[in-house]
Amino acid sequence: MQSLNRFLYGPTAEERVRGWQQKLRTESRRLEREIHQLDTAQAKAKQQLKQLAKKGDHKNAKILAKEVVRSNKQKDRLYVSKARLGSIGVQLQHQLAMVKVTGSLQKSTEIMKLSNQLIKLPQISAVMREMSMEMTKAGIMEEMLEDTLEGLDEDPELEEEAEEEVDRVLYEITDGKLGVAGAGKELPALDAEQEEINDQEMARMQAQLNSLLSG
């Protein structure tokens, strides 16, 4: 009888919630892996920055420092998004409790708000769109407006605060050789061959970070 009901009416409310919870756990692990990849790439970039500082290559060091700043901001977004996935999981657990009492799923503005925010993260956008549509059909969410489905918001503060933050990162990573307090120091000039080698190595490191940041 249960199999017949599932065939005729689809999954039960409890089965739907269990399925969404499983998807949330999967996406949370995906974000954890990406955070780990960023940590690994950052560690390599910081080591390269120290080498560039020793060689006095301020130009390439600053370019690489900008990528480190971008990856820091990306990690912050991923940590916040992981927390939001967890919050939806908690809300769904409350839904399970309500199903046992009322026999049906309840509308949740909190789940809708969190889902709208998570859809903007490219890494999990497709899965969250699908889940949101399923939750809308199940009566948990209202249909989302098109403007809430746009891509990840631009970060205007990055441009405004970039130079100050990059200088700070440079100063911290290079132990004061470059950056805010090191801006006025005399650094040895690079010969053309060494500068070309540094440019190639820096481009490789920058490409690695960019591939992670592009999601």
Side-chain angles (χ1 to χ4, degrees), residues 38 42 66-76 209 213:
L38 280 172
Q42 271 193 335
K66 287 181 180 179
E67 297 305 318
V68 172
V69 170
R70 286 182 63 208
S71 64
N72 281 336
K73 290 182 177 294
Q74 176 69 350
K75 279 202 303 182
D76 288 344
L209 278 170
L213 293 172

Side-chain angles (χ1 to χ4, degrees), residues 20 23-24 27 30 85 88 111-112 114-138 141-153:
W20 295 328
K23 287 181 181 179
L24 291 173
E27 295 312 303
R30 183 202 300 269
L85 288 173
I88 293 179
I111 289 179
M112 182 172 181
L114 292 166
S115 297
N116 287 349
Q117 293 166 333
L118 286 167
I119 280 175
K120 296 178 182 179
L121 189 71
Q123 290 87 338
I124 59 176
S125 178
V127 172
M128 293 309 303
R129 284 173 186 265
E130 181 184 356
M131 282 184 57
S132 296
M133 291 175 64
E134 292 173 357
M135 289 182 184
T136 300
K137 290 179 181 178
M141 293 169 47
E142 295 178 353
E143 188 171 354
M144 288 179 291
L145 298 176
E146 190 63 31
D147 61 356
T148 67
L149 302 179
E150 295 176 356
L152 188 66
D153 294 338

Side-chain angles (χ1 to χ4, degrees), residues 37-46 49 63-72 74 202-215:
Q37 290 172 345
L38 280 172
D39 283 335
T40 301
Q42 271 193 335
K44 293 179 181 178
K46 289 176 180 179
L49 267 173
I63 292 173
L64 198 54
K66 287 181 180 179
E67 297 305 318
V68 172
V69 170
R70 286 182 63 208
S71 64
N72 281 336
Q74 176 69 350
M202 190 282 303
R204 182 188 65 78
M205 190 71 66
Q206 186 179 18
Q208 183 180 11
L209 278 170
N210 271 330
S211 68
L212 291 172
L213 293 172
S214 63

Side-chain angles (χ1 to χ4, degrees), residues 24-92:
L24 291 173
R25 287 191 291 269
T26 298
E27 295 312 303
S28 183
R29 288 193 293 270
R30 183 202 300 269
L31 296 187
E32 284 179 3
R33 288 194 297 271
E34 184 156 345
I35 290 169
H36 177 71
Q37 290 172 345
L38 280 172
D39 283 335
T40 301
Q42 271 193 335
K44 293 179 181 178
K46 289 176 180 179
Q47 188 61 36
Q48 180 66 15
L49 267 173
K50 291 181 180 180
Q51 295 174 4
L52 291 172
K54 289 179 181 178
K55 296 172 183 176
D57 190 350
H58 187 274
K59 180 189 75 173
N60 282 330
K62 194 159 191 175
I63 292 173
L64 198 54
K66 287 181 180 179
E67 297 305 318
V68 172
V69 170
R70 286 182 63 208
S71 64
N72 281 336
K73 290 182 177 294
Q74 176 69 350
K75 279 202 303 182
D76 288 344
R77 291 190 186 101
L78 293 176
Y79 276 120
V80 169
S81 296
K82 188 170 177 291
R84 286 171 176 163
L85 288 173
S87 295
I88 293 179
V90 171
Q91 293 295 321
L92 287 176

Side-chain angles (χ1 to χ4, degrees), residues 79-208:
Y79 276 120
V80 169
S81 296
K82 188 170 177 291
R84 286 171 176 163
L85 288 173
S87 295
I88 293 179
V90 171
Q91 293 295 321
L92 287 176
Q93 195 62 37
H94 293 164
Q95 290 281 342
L96 278 179
M98 291 300 297
V99 166
K100 293 177 181 179
V101 176
T102 65
S104 62
L105 297 169
Q106 307 298 308
K107 193 177 297 295
S108 171
T109 56
E110 183 66 16
I111 289 179
M112 182 172 181
K113 181 180 72 174
L114 292 166
S115 297
N116 287 349
Q117 293 166 333
L118 286 167
I119 280 175
K120 296 178 182 179
L121 189 71
Q123 290 87 338
I124 59 176
S125 178
V127 172
M128 293 309 303
R129 284 173 186 265
E130 181 184 356
M131 282 184 57
S132 296
M133 291 175 64
E134 292 173 357
M135 289 182 184
T136 300
K137 290 179 181 178
I140 292 180
M141 293 169 47
E142 295 178 353
E143 188 171 354
M144 288 179 291
L145 298 176
E146 190 63 31
D147 61 356
T148 67
L149 302 179
E150 295 176 356
L152 188 66
D153 294 338
E154 296 296 325
D155 189 356
E157 293 184 2
L158 181 58
E159 291 300 323
E160 297 174 5
E161 302 175 3
E163 290 303 317
E164 180 180 345
E165 191 165 357
V166 167
D167 282 340
R168 179 182 59 77
V169 167
L170 271 174
Y171 184 74
E172 290 176 356
I173 294 176
T174 64
D175 298 323
K177 291 184 177 67
L178 299 175
V180 178
K185 293 186 178 180
E186 291 293 328
L187 297 172
L190 299 176
D191 57 45
E193 182 179 358
Q194 184 62 55
E195 186 169 0
E196 182 179 355
I197 293 174
N198 286 357
D199 285 348
Q200 292 172 352
E201 179 64 18
M202 190 282 303
R204 182 188 65 78
M205 190 71 66
Q206 186 179 18
Q208 183 180 11

